Amino acid sequence: MSAAATTSAPRPATGTQFRITRDTPAGPAEACIAALAGALRSYSVGGTAFVETYPDSELPPSACGILLAPWPNRVAGGKWLLEGRTQQLDITEPSRGNASHGLLRNTGYVRVDDAGDGNATPHGSTVTLRAEIFPQHGYPFHLMHEVTYSLDDDGGLRVRQGLINLGERRAPFALGAHPFLRIGSVPVEDLTLTVSGDTRLTVDDRLIPVGREPAAGTADLSGGRRVGELDLDAAYTGLESENGEFRHRLRAPDGTGVMLWGGPEFDYVHVFVTDKFPGRTLAVALEPMTAPANALNSGEGLRWLEPASRFAAEWGIRPEQTG
């Protein structure tokens, strides 16, 4: 047998698949999370899919379902100032010359108590994963990103993201995620999107915020807009809180709905409508964020984590039914 020969089966390109399940009044709830980027690959309740999916052998298209840390969205030119010194991050969005979607997009998460056998083993109704952010080009800090995915009694998916500062200096950060929502087989263009934000961030040609404007008018989603009418890649803030949550909804013509909710820390949401998602005429991402794009430069929404300190915040996805 040659040195290159192996008896083990090939592993998925996205690594270990962590599956969680729970019986609910609406039927079985199921979710699958990939090790790569801690991405939410699937989520369904009673057989209805509520997020877009992709094969475990392929990279997440359009960042589908990935977790974003230690910043969401973009950093202009990958440059920012730290104590008067320019920091240069690796450029990961060459088409616009930005550093995009944090530092864990190509990192494999591991289960906190996992032996690392690589199997798609059921993990009950909850699983906790983590990935380490090492000091590197443009970000000289050492953090641990930890996430717990869990299914509630009603079938809702709850996601708790946290950071631990493992280093000796305080570190700037923001968190986010990139789920694409759907409602079963209903064409996304026929869904109605509602976002309560009264303010939209305006951007330049690199999608870097340069100002803000009232959402009222063509950018207003508070009354619901058909997704097929939208051409959006924009962040909203000034969100309206409902029972301590910021809630954003998609609704099908038959009344079936799905809600993305964020805790009080997730006071920005990015709406991305694309016709580039494989197998879909349109797809829509609703991205909860604790800060907008370019926060390392603007400071807007940016937080600082002291050594040995922790931060955590929650968001989730919840099916809804009217009538």
Side-chain angles (χ1 to χ4, degrees), residues 2 10 20 30 51 64 84 87 108 128 130 197 238-239 242 278 294:
S2 69
I20 56 175
E30 303 178 349
V51 298
C64 182
Q87 304 295 311
T128 299
R130 65 186 177 195
L239 308 178
E242 298 181 49
N294 210 34

Side-chain angles (χ1 to χ4, degrees), residues 141-163:
F141 307 100
H142 192 186
L143 307 175
M144 181 72 76
H145 186 220
E146 192 167 276
V147 59
T148 297
Y149 287 92
S150 59
L151 293 166
D152 294 337
D153 289 340
D154 61 1
L157 178 70
R158 183 177 298 269
V159 185
R160 180 178 178 85
Q161 286 181 250
L163 282 173

